[in-house]
């Protein structure tokens, strides 16, 4: 019993308010807008994850996880023959989602869905209570909402990060919240889940642009799930973990937390309602999207004005971008670096007139023509270009030997929350991704289930579609990778 | 660090019209030039002959104490909870031993996890300067990994001891990168920052990874490091050591499978935080190649071992209060009567998370100047039993607690190398009794004798193991460097 509260009658602490909210939020409070947006997020995330199961990093993590277990329970996306305990399923599927930097991005900056969905899907397949699709959707939104709330505790969070990679800070908290919700934990247990998860937060930015970055999302998913499970078993942490500077505050230079509103019944204002996510068209860091759009536009303009335009005539390419060290990489050698390189993405766009999944193959990265173009790139960071996904722009200026100059600027790329992907384009991205590993029945099954998720009686049905591989794909992949 | 960058230009550069700033970034530092690379090299190349006798002796003491503490820790609630969690959520993989549980084995990372939890469950494990709990992060991982290796190529006792020392050394070196690390922590709990790194280093060593893989193991571990101080003094704190151990092991295993991460994680790169994300001030230094000999930090800076299971800061006030207790009861086995005592003043360093006037759980009690001082005042000592619910709820203890005040003198810094603890008791008659402790028995300046250390070990281990195994463990650890096969150690833990 907390004698202090008894004597002083203090109002709910911030951490407790979170625990209470996670516990009490109900499906009736999901608005249409939120349902719609979050289903788009789920669909995109699944597609991106399925595609990501073909990456080297995913395979290393999978081999590792198989080493350590023998009893299998939750699905591995894109694998019909393998399943793993939920903790490791969440881990590897989370890695798949972020393996190509193709997953959604929010403002303030983080990749919210990859930290939450793999944990929930892993959990839903093992719970005897057999949660419904609606339960799943609600828990998903709880996980997203908590991340959004936590990021608003710090001004630092609004800019492109420099110290901790945001998914490693708020992602694990979102996963814990979502898992706690699905498990039906009490308010106090929900608070403790957050506290336990906080002790698993925080990975340094230096591992971005490396093969380890995808593990930041994989780890967020699995460690948040674990935190909820431990809380369910009665483990306790600091019940004021969100309130204290020495709690979640350690990850920020400025930290000013506030309580979640009490939401026993009635309306709840979800952050997702006011602030949509961005979906990527290119498997690269979000900032690359502005640049590619600008580069394509400048290239088109040059092609129009110059009768006989060819790339060898380019003398200089100037990129005007926001300042950010970890996405400034003049000569990337790995796919991970390439996805975090203003220079690479601009030159790929200029060379191929598009940037796609294939642009990041090692062969494409090594092309002499690309390297030649890269040597002509100059970077500028204008004072008015702020390192914030809400405010930045990118400008590309191409100058030719003949003295021509074309400049194009992109303020809002297609896919950004200010200019969202149409439903058709989102489904098309999903289909293209998912078809790389699933058969048609699987692809269409996922689309159908997500579209109608609130009416689905058993959330675990999603897992069964995610395992419907086209056999030729799985075999082909296995021979390639080995 | 700028000088490090002025090495050879990468041969692939296409020279026409390269912008100036691009040139500087093109000259990527090779592994031999970076702090991170120097660490990878050290871990990979250090040899047993680089261990001095002092380091042997000190590290074996640490191994013994850590095992004992882990064995008694296996009787705690938090340990039981963590164990059940692992058994329910994962397959029964009969690979690595769990302290004190004959019938249970777990997959290696989970064994490292639960044994690490056991080690820190009662805050009874060793403490170093700069502050961290080094052994609990390393030993469980090295044991678990050794269990995993095939019977025909288990590490020798010497390999085992060397890997253990690598894990300790790395932690010590990393903490010296920051002045912040010298003081009692406020932000990140140190075992969660340097612990995974030490575990990763030790495991990389057992796995005989090459220098580059060792560097990557450190970098992968960095992405698993860091937990806030707010969870200290809660039931979650023991998981900080459990996680450090298992995540470091995991990082090494992932590195052995070829996973790569930042090759500059320990170096300070402006605008992109690596390991320095966890510190306000950070000046990294490379580790010298061990070929010309290497002075392990354990040589110059010994370890503190605890005599009772509570935060290190408690040991000063407990020793001071125990002296006052002696004065109060005189020569005979008297009792302290609480109505004699009017006021208790503690002069201690300023540190919020160990200032708890009325602790409500055993975890809080282990982090309370007030509780430990009053227990020692009442009983003449603080022991394992002092933290049982019965002992904690004694009315005479509460009577004393309600009379405690704290002062934070300016000359008493929150630093385990410099602090002191003073207890001043004012009696009802007006008499004032005051005792001060500058260096408690067990501190690195006043180390436990081998007899005291073994006594602590026996008292802990006998709670869960039969005395033949207890004695065998004392023997085996003492001879660890001469053991042909570490399975003699591994088989006695359950």
């Amino acid at each position: 019993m907390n004698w202090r509260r008894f004597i002083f009658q203090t109002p709910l602490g911030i951490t407790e308010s979170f625990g209470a909210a996670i516990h009490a939020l109900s499906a009736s409070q999901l608005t249409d807008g939120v349902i719609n947006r979050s289903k788009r997020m789920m669909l995109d995330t699944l597609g991106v994850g399925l595609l990501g199961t073909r990456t080297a990093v995913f395979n290393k993590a999978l081999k590792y996880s198989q080493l350590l277990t023998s009893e299998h329970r939750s699905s591995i996306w894109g694998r019909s023959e393998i399943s793993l305990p939920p903790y490791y399923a969440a881990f590897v599927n989370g890695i798949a989602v972020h393996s190509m930097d193709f997953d959604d991005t929010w403002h303030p900056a983080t990749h919210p869905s990859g930290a939450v969905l793999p944990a929930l899907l892993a959990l839903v397949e093992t719970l005897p209570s057999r949660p419904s699709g609606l339960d799943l959707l609600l828990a998903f939104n709880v996980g997203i909402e908590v991340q959004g709330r936590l990021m608003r505790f710090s001004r630092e969070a609004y800019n492109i990060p420099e110290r901790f990679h945001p998914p490693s800070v708020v992602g694990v908290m979102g996963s814990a919240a979502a898992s706690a919700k699905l498990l039906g934990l009490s308010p106090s247990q929900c608070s403790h889940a957050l506290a336990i998860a906080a002790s698993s937060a925080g990975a340094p930015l230096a591992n971005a642009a490396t093969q380890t970055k995808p593990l930041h999302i994989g780890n967020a998913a699995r460690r948040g799930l674990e935190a909820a499970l431990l809380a369910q078993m009665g483990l306790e942490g600091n019940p004021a973990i969100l309130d204290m500077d020495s709690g979640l505050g350690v990850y920020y230079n400025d930290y000013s937390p506030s309580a979640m509103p009490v939401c026993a019944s009635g309306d709840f204002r979800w952050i997702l309602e006011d602030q949509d996510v961005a979906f990527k068209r290119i498997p690269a860091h979000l900032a690359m999207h502005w640049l590619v759009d600008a580069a394509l536009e400048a290239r088109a303009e040059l092609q129009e004005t110059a009768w006989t335009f060819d790339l060898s005539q380019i003398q200089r390419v100037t990129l005007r971008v926001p300042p950010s060290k970890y996405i400034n990489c003049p000569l990337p050698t790995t796919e991970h670096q390439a996805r975090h390189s203003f220079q690479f993405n601009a030159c790929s766009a200029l060379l191929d007139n598009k940037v796609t999944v294939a642009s990041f193959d090692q062969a494409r990265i090594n092309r002499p023509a690309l390297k030649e173009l890269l040597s002509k790139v100059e970077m500028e960071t204008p004072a008015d270009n702020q390192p914030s996904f809400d405010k930045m722009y990118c400008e590309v200026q191409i100058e030719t030997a003949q003295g021509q100059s074309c400049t194009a600027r992109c303020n809002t790329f297609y896919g950004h929350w200010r200019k969202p992907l149409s439903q058709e384009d989102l489904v098309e991205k999903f289909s293209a991704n998912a078809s790389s590993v699933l058969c048609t029945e699987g692809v269409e099954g996922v689309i159908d289930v997500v579209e109608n998720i609130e009416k689905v009686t058993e959330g675990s049905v999603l897992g069964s579609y995610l395992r419907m591989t086209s056999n030729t794909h799985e075999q082909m992949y296995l021979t390639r990778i080995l | 660090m700028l000088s490090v960058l002025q090495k050879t230009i990468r041969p692939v550069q296409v020279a026409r019209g390269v912008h100036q700033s691009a040139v500087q970034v093109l000259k990527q530092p090779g592994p031999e030039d970076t702090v991170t690379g120097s660490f990878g090299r050290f871990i990979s190349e250090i040899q047993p002959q680089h261990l001095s006798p002092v380091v042997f002796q000190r590290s074996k003491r640490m191994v013994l104490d850590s095992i004992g503490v882990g064995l008694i820790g296996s009787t705690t609630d938090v340990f039981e909870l963590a164990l059940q969690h692992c058994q329910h959520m994962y397959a029964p993989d009969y690979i690595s031993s769990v302290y004190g549980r004959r019938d249970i084995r777990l997959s290696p990372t989970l064994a490292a996890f639960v044994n690490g939890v056991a080690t820190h469950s009662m805050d009874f494990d060793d403490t170093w300067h700069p502050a961290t709990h080094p052994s609990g992060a390393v030993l469980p991982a090295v044991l678990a990994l050794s269990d995993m290796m095939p019977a025909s190529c288990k590490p020798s006792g010497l390999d085992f001891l060397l890997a253990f020392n690598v894990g300790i050394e790395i932690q010590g070196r990393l903490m010296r990168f920051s002045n912040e690390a010298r003081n009692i922590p406020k932000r990140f709990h140190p075992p969660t920052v340097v612990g995974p790194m030490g575990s990763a280093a030790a495991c990389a060593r057992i796995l005989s990874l090459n220098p580059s893989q060792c560097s990557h193991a450190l970098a992968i571990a960095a992405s698993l490091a860091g937990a806030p101080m707010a969870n200290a003094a809660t039931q979650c704190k023991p998981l900080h050591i459990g996680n450090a151990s298992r995540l470091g092991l995991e990082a090494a295993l992932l590195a052995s499978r070829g996973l790569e991460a930042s090759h500059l994680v320990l170096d300070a790169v402006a605008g992109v935080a690596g390991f320095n994300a966890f510190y306000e001030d950070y000046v990294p230094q490379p580790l010298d190649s061990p070929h010309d000999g290497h002075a392990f930090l354990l040589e110059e800076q010994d370890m503190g071992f605890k005599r009772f299971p509570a935060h290190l800061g408690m040991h000063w006030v407990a020793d001071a209060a125990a002296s006052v207790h002696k004065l109060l009861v005189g020569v005979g086995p008297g009792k302290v009567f609480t109505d004699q005592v009017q006021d208790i003043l503690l002069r201690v360093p300023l540190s919020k998370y160990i200032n708890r006037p009325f602790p409500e759980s055993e975890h809080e009690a282990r982090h309370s100047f007030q509780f430990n001082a009053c227990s020692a005042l009442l009983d003449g000592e603080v022991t394992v039993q002092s933290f049982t619910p019965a002992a904690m709820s004694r009315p005479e203890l509460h009577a004393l607690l309600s009379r405690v005040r704290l002062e934070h003198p300016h000359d008493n810094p929150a630093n385990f190398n410099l602090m002191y603890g003073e207890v001043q008791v004012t009696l009802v008659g007006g008499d004032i009794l005051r005792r001060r402790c500058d260096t408690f028995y067990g501190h690195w300046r006043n180390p436990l004798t081998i007899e005291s250390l073994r006594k602590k070990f026996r008292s802990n281990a006998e709670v869960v193991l039969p005395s033949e195994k207890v004695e065998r463990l004392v023997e085996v650890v003492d001879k660890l460097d001469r053991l042909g096969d570490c399975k003699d150690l591994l088989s006695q833990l359950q």
Side-chain angles (χ1 to χ4, degrees):
Chain A
M1 106 131 179
N2 188 325
W3 64 272
R4 281 180 283 256
R5 169 107 20 78
F6 179 72
I7 292 173
F8 297 113
Q9 306 278 300
T10 50
L12 276 191
I14 292 167
T15 310
E16 277 177 285
S17 74
F18 272 67
I22 292 166
H23 172 79
L25 277 168
S26 72
S28 59
Q29 289 163 306
L30 290 170
T31 65
D32 287 342
V34 160
I35 290 177
N36 182 50
R37 285 180 174 178
S38 54
K39 289 199 289 192
R40 285 157 59 87
M41 288 156 73
M42 287 175 71
L43 189 69
D44 187 70
T45 300
L46 290 171
V48 154
L50 287 166
L51 182 65
T53 63
R54 304 178 71 200
T55 60
V57 60
F58 170 81
N59 269 278
K60 285 178 185 172
L62 181 61
K63 280 216 191 79
Y64 164 72
S65 300
Q66 285 179 290
L67 231 203
L68 304 176
T69 66
S70 60
E71 204 175 289
H72 307 156
R73 276 177 261 171
S74 299
S75 305
I76 306 307
W77 301 355
R79 294 297 165 99
S80 56
E81 313 281 305
I82 306 173
S83 54
L84 288 173
Y87 179 78
Y88 286 110
F91 178 53
V92 301
N93 289 332
I95 288 173
V97 168
H98 201 41
S99 60
M100 296 163 69
D101 233 298
F102 213 175
D103 45 327
D104 55 22
T105 312
W106 213 9
H107 177 68
T110 195
H111 303 292
S113 301
V116 172
L117 190 61
L120 288 177
L121 290 186
L123 194 54
V124 91
E125 288 183 281
T126 64
L127 288 179
S129 60
R130 308 179 89 82
S132 66
L134 186 58
D135 293 331
L136 185 60
L137 186 64
L138 176 62
F140 178 81
N141 278 288
V142 166
I144 303 301
E145 178 72 9
V146 165
Q147 293 184 68
R149 294 262 166 182
L150 294 179
M151 286 190 292
R152 280 155 176 75
F153 288 175
S154 172
R155 285 188 306 275
E156 192 183 328
Y158 284 79
N159 296 329
I160 294 178
E162 284 190 0
R163 206 156 65 109
F164 290 107
H165 188 213
S168 68
V169 179
V170 298
V172 67
M173 308 296 282
S175 170
S179 302
K181 182 65 186 174
L182 199 65
L183 289 166
L185 303 190
S186 71
S188 161
Q189 287 174 319
C190 289
S191 294
H192 284 303
L194 292 177
I196 299 163
S199 275
S200 294
L205 198 61
N207 277 331
T210 77
Q211 197 183 42
T212 289
K213 188 191 190 200
L215 271 72
H216 290 182
I217 286 282
N219 283 331
R222 69 162 159 166
R223 300 181 82 189
L225 169 57
E226 187 177 73
L229 290 168
L230 285 165
Q232 185 183 46
M233 300 187 83
L235 186 72
E236 303 191 339
N238 190 323
I241 194 73
L242 300 182
D243 303 66
M244 301 168 73
D245 280 353
S246 62
L248 196 71
V250 301
Y251 300 105
Y252 297 104
N253 285 325
D254 68 290
Y255 184 73
S256 183
S258 54
M260 279 268 245
V262 175
C263 53
S265 60
D267 292 343
F268 180 81
R269 188 81 196 164
W270 301 82
I271 294 177
L272 190 57
E273 191 86 53
D274 297 328
Q275 170 68 62
D276 199 1
V277 295
F279 294 112
K280 293 178 174 176
R281 281 169 22 245
I282 305 163
H285 185 276
L286 200 76
M288 308 302 122
H289 288 65
W290 278 266
L291 196 60
V292 166
D293 273 15
L296 292 176
E297 204 188 305
R299 186 190 196 280
E301 200 190 305
L302 200 58
Q303 202 142 37
E304 239 172 85
T305 55
W307 281 99
T308 50
F309 165 68
D310 86 77
L311 293 168
S312 63
Q313 292 166 2
I314 295 179
Q315 187 163 63
R316 180 162 59 202
V317 178
T318 306
L319 310 180
R320 293 185 186 98
V321 296
S324 179
K325 185 89 206 290
Y326 81 111
I327 40 183
N328 171 354
C329 184
L331 202 61
T333 50
T334 67
E335 66 171 282
H336 303 285
Q337 287 177 335
R339 301 185 198 282
H340 296 76
S341 164
F342 279 129
Q343 296 91 329
F344 178 88
N345 283 273
C347 291
S348 291
L350 292 178
L351 207 55
D352 305 326
N353 203 19
K354 61 180 179 205
V355 181
T356 64
V357 170
S359 306
F360 300 90
D361 288 348
Q362 198 60 43
R364 297 279 196 106
I365 292 173
N366 294 341
R367 286 181 291 172
L370 184 71
K371 294 189 177 176
E372 163 100 14
L373 197 51
L374 280 170
S375 68
K376 297 173 188 173
V377 172
E378 282 186 21
M379 301 266 288
E380 286 174 15
T381 53
D384 71 343
N385 202 346
Q386 298 176 54
S388 151
F389 292 143
D390 207 40
K391 303 200 177 125
M392 62 174 276
Y393 64 86
C394 284
E395 199 171 275
V396 174
Q397 178 178 12
I398 313 173
E399 291 166 85
T400 67
Q402 287 71 31
Q404 279 145 322
S405 167
C406 279
T407 304
R409 171 167 164 152
C410 174
N411 289 315
T412 304
F413 65 87
Y414 177 47
H416 191 269
W417 43 84
R418 289 192 298 260
K419 201 195 273 188
L421 288 192
S422 67
Q423 190 63 15
E424 294 75 40
D425 286 341
L426 188 74
V427 173
E428 199 190 301
K429 176 188 173 187
F430 173 81
S431 297
N433 287 341
S435 306
S436 65
V437 289
L438 296 184
C439 62
T440 317
E441 191 190 340
V443 174
E444 288 176 357
V446 173
I447 294 174
D448 188 48
V449 167
V450 173
E451 178 68 23
N452 299 292
I453 193 148
E454 61 269 47
K455 304 184 207 90
V456 167
T457 40
E458 286 225 17
S460 57
V461 72
L462 201 46
S464 49
Y465 284 118
L466 291 168
R467 289 198 300 274
M468 282 186 191
T469 55
S470 107
N471 282 336
T472 42
H473 275 135
E474 207 165 348
Q475 278 163 15
M476 200 170 76
Y477 179 66
L478 285 171
T479 46
R480 259 184 65 207
I481 249 304
L482 303 166
Chain B
M1 276 299 115
L2 243 315
S3 60
V4 163
L5 293 173
Q6 285 154 14
K7 289 278 182 173
T8 52
I9 295 178
R10 289 168 66 86
V12 108
Q13 176 193 351
V14 178
R16 284 202 324 146
V18 179
H19 189 264
Q20 195 50 37
S21 67
V23 169
Q24 280 171 346
V25 185
L26 275 176
K27 295 173 195 161
Q28 291 220 24
E32 62 278 2
D33 306 322
T34 61
V35 172
T36 310
S38 75
F39 272 64
R41 232 180 11 261
F42 170 83
I43 295 164
S44 186
E45 294 173 0
I46 192 82
Q47 294 302 321
Q49 60 258 34
H50 296 122
L51 292 167
S52 72
V54 168
V55 167
F56 269 122
Q57 185 226 21
R58 287 180 175 178
S59 54
K60 287 195 287 192
R61 285 157 57 88
M62 289 156 69
V63 170
L64 188 69
D65 187 72
S66 192
I67 291 174
V69 154
L71 287 169
I72 193 172
S74 72
T75 62
T76 59
D77 284 347
V78 61
F79 172 81
E80 189 61 43
L81 190 156
L83 180 61
Q84 275 179 34
H85 168 74
C86 291
Q87 287 180 297
H88 287 150
M89 295 314 301
Y90 304 99
D93 271 321
Y94 304 109
I95 299 177
S96 300
S97 321
V98 171
Y99 283 156
R101 296 294 175 102
R102 283 199 70 177
D103 43 347
I104 302 178
R105 287 186 172 242
L106 293 173
S107 62
T109 51
L110 296 178
F113 176 59
V114 300
N115 288 337
V117 168
T119 305
H120 201 43
S121 59
M122 297 162 71
D123 232 299
F124 213 175
D125 45 328
D126 54 22
T127 311
W128 212 12
H129 177 68
T132 195
H133 303 293
S135 300
V138 174
L139 188 63
V142 177
L143 287 170
L145 189 53
S146 301
D147 265 327
M148 191 176 142
M149 315 218 40
S152 53
C153 53
K154 289 223 187 286
S156 66
L158 187 57
D159 292 334
F160 186 98
L161 194 57
L162 176 62
F164 177 80
N165 276 288
V166 166
I168 304 303
E169 177 74 0
I170 293 299
Q171 294 184 67
R173 293 278 165 181
L174 291 176
M175 287 191 291
R176 279 156 177 74
F177 289 175
S178 172
N179 289 320
E180 193 183 326
R182 289 179 186 281
N183 299 328
I184 294 180
K186 286 188 197 174
R187 220 156 54 105
F188 291 104
H189 189 212
T192 65
V193 179
V194 297
M197 310 296 278
S199 170
C203 294
R205 184 48 202 224
I206 291 268
L207 291 167
S208 302
L209 302 188
N210 66 40
S212 167
Q213 289 173 317
C214 289
S215 293
H216 285 303
L218 291 177
I220 297 164
S223 272
L224 292 162
M229 279 307 295
N231 276 331
T234 75
Q235 198 187 38
C236 188
K237 189 190 189 199
L239 271 71
H240 288 185
I241 286 282
N243 278 332
S245 207
R246 81 156 143 170
L247 297 172
L249 167 54
E250 197 174 81
L253 288 169
L254 285 165
S256 77
R257 294 199 162 274
L259 186 70
E260 300 193 337
S262 166
H263 66 283
L264 291 171
V265 75
L266 299 183
D267 299 73
V269 177
V272 184
F275 191 63
N276 60 316
F278 301 107
Y279 296 105
E280 303 280 277
D281 69 289
Y282 183 84
V283 181
Q285 302 293 333
L287 266 176
D288 294 330
S289 158
H291 297 298
D292 310 314
H294 178 84
F296 281 80
L297 290 169
L298 194 54
E299 185 93 45
E300 33 174 280
Q301 171 65 62
D302 198 0
M303 194 62 51
F305 293 109
K306 294 174 175 178
R307 283 180 5 256
F308 57 86
H311 183 275
L312 202 75
M314 310 302 108
H315 285 64
W316 279 269
V317 294
D319 272 19
S323 307
V324 175
H325 168 89
K326 279 214 189 71
L327 291 176
L328 277 173
V329 302
V331 196
K335 214 173 100 108
V336 168
F337 291 99
T338 58
D339 45 15
Q340 296 171 265
V341 172
Q342 180 171 302
D343 175 81
I344 303 168
L345 177 62
L346 306 181
R347 292 195 178 91
V348 291
L350 181 63
S351 178
K352 269 180 68 180
Y353 82 110
I354 41 186
N355 171 356
R356 295 169 195 275
F358 294 102
E360 291 176 359
S361 67
E362 68 175 278
H363 304 284
E364 290 187 6
R366 301 186 199 281
H367 297 76
S368 164
F369 280 128
Q370 296 92 330
F371 180 89
N372 285 272
C374 292
S375 291
L377 209 51
L378 204 53
D379 304 327
E381 56 174 355
V382 180
T383 66
V384 170
Q385 270 61 45
S386 306
F387 301 92
T388 57
M392 281 182 62
S393 55
R394 289 179 291 171
E396 56 273 31
L397 184 67
H398 280 256
L400 289 183
L401 281 172
S402 61
R403 291 165 207 172
V404 176
R405 295 179 293 131
L406 253 49
E407 255 177 32
H408 307 296
H410 291 303
D411 70 343
N412 201 350
N415 173 312
F416 290 142
N417 216 16
L418 301 171
M419 65 173 276
Y420 63 85
E422 194 172 283
V423 173
Q424 179 177 303
V425 174
T426 305
L427 299 178
V428 159
D431 290 335
I432 296 183
L433 307 171
R434 186 198 302 146
R435 280 292 181 272
R436 170 170 163 152
C437 172
D438 286 306
T439 304
F440 65 86
Y441 177 46
H443 191 270
W444 42 85
R445 288 193 300 263
N446 186 9
L448 292 190
T449 61
I450 189 65
E451 292 77 29
S452 296
L453 193 72
R454 284 185 181 152
K455 182 165 162 224
K456 176 188 173 186
F457 175 78
R458 287 188 177 104
S459 149
N460 287 341
E462 271 162 13
V463 177
V464 292
L465 292 181
S467 41
E468 315 84 67
K469 288 207 168 176
V470 174
E471 286 317 307
R472 186 94 185 98
L473 272 172
V474 171
E475 223 182 285
V476 159
V477 173
D478 189 56
K479 296 207 287 261
L480 193 54
D481 46 317
R482 300 186 287 289
L483 222 55
D485 190 324
C486 72
K487 74 172 188 291
D488 289 338
L489 173 64
L490 299 172
S491 56
Q492 307 298 333
L493 298 168
Q494 310 185 284

